Amino acid sequence: MFRVQRPLSSLFLIYRAEFADTLRLSIPIIIAQLGVVLMGVTDNLFVGRLLGALPLGAAGLANSLSFLMSSIGVGGLTVVAALVSKANNQSGGPAAVNRLFRAGLRVALLLSVLVGGLSVLLAYNFSLFGQTPEVTRLARNFMLILSVSLFPLLVFVAARQLCDGLRYPRVAMAITLSALGVNALFNYVFIKGVGPFPALGLMGSATATLLSRVFMAGAMLVYVYQAPNFRAYLKKEFNSLPITAEAWTILRLGIPGGLTFFFEVATFSLAVVIVGWLGEAQLAAHQIAINMASVTYMMATGISSAAAIRVSAAVGQASRDGIWRAGIAAFLLSVSFMSITALVFLTASDWLVTLYIRDNPQVMAIAASLVIMAGFFQLSDGVQVVALGGLRGLSDVNVPTLITLFSYWIVALPLSYVLAFPFGMDAVGVWIGLLAGLSIAAVLLTWRFFRRASLFLGNSNPKPQTS
């Protein structure tokens, strides 16, 4: 009996430390992401209460399209944290980290020009979306300002990767929460016009977003260059080191990572369009259910980011066991959390819907059925995003991008349409299609991660990708 219990107790002690370390990294990341989400909520609250429904709709359309475009840049830059973590665990770490940091800022500038240019082009072609002339005018001007704000946003994201990769995620958390207050203040000041500031209406909300992002970028750069924790990595003598190779590495790994994020965001954006074709009640119900699923997904993405950082650190230490432990701990944490939320969604769907709406029985009934679907949705969503984080830590991005493209655009979207219309399954059919795509992605990405982990050679790099 003693021989059986001893290995189990040792395993428990090992993974207790793994869980604790993963949570220390993921919780500040989750809170920072929550702050970003709340900024959008703040914008909508001020626009809706101070300006009305039409400006709110225009702002929502512009924000959705801007988020879709920015996902390429934001998703692409997240690979830098894993590279920083890996470099910091190898010889010559400070100089290598410095080069990655400066290269990340250069790539942020490049991506802001490219993605910002595409956003401007999209803004000037808003008529393609078939909106009313007034919505088109307001949304176009709103998105033009958001296009300018991409530069400070991506600078913030790039600088944040240094903090996250060096295991200081609370920096971004504190700055994001501070920016939340700045954004609320600027929304009120520039929408209504306070003191010497003119009343800009809807454009005042866009201006508030721009200034909040400038604050975030500025605060992050000031902290990084002034804090003692980063001085070893930002020595003046490092500034002469070339960064071209690092910039190409970030682009080589980051562009597929950005496209992975884009494919997923675009899938759920198009799912909204499909549900909208079914009717207004279905669209309202879908928004309720997807909002709940988005909150829980945000939690899983924090665990995914921690997985990327911890797996890449193990790669830098040439530790196959470390890769496995970091990956398994992240998977178990995500599955545990998402299992709890799945249970809540499955057993309390009617009550959860009443938090959003109480005076429309049709919407409530549809929403309750979709929340149940969201319950089944949880495990696949949590597993696939953690697998992506682990693979990012292994610098494995090309095949995962193809997996997400296949799972979301080849399986999920066509199946959602077929089930909703030819098979007459309505909004539930759309969600079954999404669930199928997520489940396929979860299985393939998880298999890919553990296969790549098992092929790790025990030196500083995994085996080259062959499939």
Side-chain angles (χ1 to χ4, degrees):
M1 179 68 70
F2 178 76
R3 290 182 179 179
V4 173
Q5 289 178 340
R6 187 173 180 180
L8 291 176
S9 63
S10 298
L11 191 64
F12 172 77
L13 290 174
I14 290 172
Y15 277 95
R16 185 174 65 177
E18 295 288 331
F19 293 147
D21 195 38
T22 302
L23 287 172
R24 273 194 296 269
L25 277 172
S26 60
I27 289 175
I29 294 173
I30 291 169
I31 294 173
Q33 291 170 336
L34 179 62
V36 172
V37 171
L38 289 176
M39 280 189 194
V41 173
T42 301
D43 290 343
N44 288 336
L45 286 174
F46 276 98
V47 170
R49 288 179 178 271
L50 298 179
L51 298 175
L54 190 143
L56 179 60
L61 177 60
N63 270 315
S64 297
L65 291 172
S66 179
F67 178 72
L68 179 62
M69 298 302 296
S70 68
S71 66
I72 300 173
V74 172
L77 288 170
T78 55
V79 72
V80 178
L83 294 173
V84 165
S85 179
K86 176 183 174 182
N88 193 46
N89 284 276
Q90 295 175 322
S91 59
V97 169
N98 176 277
R99 293 166 72 174
L100 286 167
F101 171 63
R102 291 187 291 120
L105 291 176
R106 179 177 293 184
V107 171
L109 173 60
L110 174 64
L111 290 176
S112 66
V113 172
L114 294 177
V115 178
L118 289 173
S119 297
V120 170
L121 185 64
L122 189 62
Y124 278 107
N125 288 275
F126 249 110
S127 57
L128 296 175
F129 296 101
Q131 303 298 310
T132 64
E134 184 63 10
V135 168
T136 298
R137 182 185 68 83
L138 290 173
R140 174 187 295 122
N141 294 335
F142 197 95
M143 191 163 179
L144 287 173
I145 297 175
L146 292 184
S147 300
V148 176
S149 76
L150 279 173
F151 173 63
L153 172 64
L154 295 183
V155 168
F156 167 77
V157 172
R160 171 185 174 172
Q161 304 311 303
L162 176 68
C163 300
D164 288 355
L166 294 178
R167 303 175 64 88
Y168 296 108
R170 294 182 182 180
V171 178
M173 178 189 73
I175 290 174
T176 303
L177 293 180
S178 299
L180 184 61
V182 172
N183 185 56
L185 175 63
F186 285 159
N187 260 284
Y188 184 79
V189 168
F190 288 110
I191 290 177
K192 289 183 66 69
V194 176
F197 300 102
L200 300 177
L202 181 59
M203 297 311 108
S205 180
T207 302
T209 299
L210 169 60
L211 293 178
S212 298
R213 290 176 174 179
V214 170
F215 166 80
M216 292 167 68
M220 180 62 77
L221 290 174
V222 168
Y223 183 89
V224 164
Y225 279 103
Q226 296 297 322
N229 295 334
F230 301 102
R231 286 176 186 167
Y233 304 95
L234 300 174
K235 295 178 180 178
K236 290 183 179 180
E237 55 262 35
F238 292 159
N239 292 337
S240 60
L241 298 174
I243 60 172
T244 302
E246 285 74 14
W248 279 114
T249 297
I250 293 170
L251 287 171
R252 177 174 59 83
L253 298 175
I255 289 177
L259 289 175
T260 298
F261 193 20
F262 174 82
F263 291 149
E264 185 170 2
V265 172
T267 296
F268 284 89
S269 298
L270 291 172
V272 174
V273 175
I274 295 173
V275 173
W277 292 338
L278 294 167
E280 293 180 357
Q282 289 89 336
L283 183 59
H286 175 81
Q287 290 300 108
I288 292 171
I290 202 66
N291 182 258
M292 295 184 198
S294 298
V295 172
T296 58
Y297 173 76
M298 181 181 59
M299 307 297 182
T301 59
I303 299 173
S304 173
S305 297
I309 294 168
R310 299 191 71 244
V311 167
S312 60
V315 171
Q317 296 164 359
S319 172
R320 180 187 295 180
D321 288 344
I323 294 171
W324 276 81
R325 289 198 303 269
I328 290 173
F331 277 112
L332 289 177
L333 277 175
S334 183
V335 168
S336 298
F337 173 77
M338 297 303 255
S339 295
I340 294 171
T341 59
L343 183 63
V344 173
F345 285 3
L346 291 171
T347 59
S349 58
D350 291 327
W351 177 77
L352 289 170
V353 170
T354 62
L355 298 176
Y356 290 80
I357 189 171
R358 297 188 179 188
D359 59 353
N360 191 318
Q362 182 186 9
V363 172
M364 292 174 67
I366 298 172
S369 66
L370 297 185
V371 171
I372 291 174
M373 289 302 306
F376 293 108
F377 196 95
Q378 295 296 290
L379 291 179
S380 296
D381 211 11
V383 168
Q384 65 90 21
V385 72
V386 167
L388 280 172
L391 289 165
R392 192 163 63 245
L394 291 170
S395 296
D396 184 4
V397 293
N398 294 328
V399 172
T401 300
L402 295 177
I403 289 173
T404 55
L405 175 63
F406 170 76
S407 301
Y408 299 142
W409 286 22
I410 305 301
V411 175
L413 284 174
L415 185 60
S416 292
Y417 179 86
V418 169
L419 293 178
F421 290 98
F423 281 81
M425 297 181 70
D426 212 74
V428 171
V430 175
W431 277 69
I432 293 175
L434 294 175
L435 173 61
L438 282 170
S439 299
I440 290 172
V443 171
L444 294 178
L445 291 170
T446 301
W447 171 82
R448 178 75 181 178
F449 171 76
F450 285 110
R451 179 175 181 272
R452 293 288 294 159
S454 66
L455 292 176
F456 187 75
L457 290 172
N459 54 32
S460 60
N461 293 293
K463 286 184 177 180
Q465 295 183 33
T466 57
S467 62

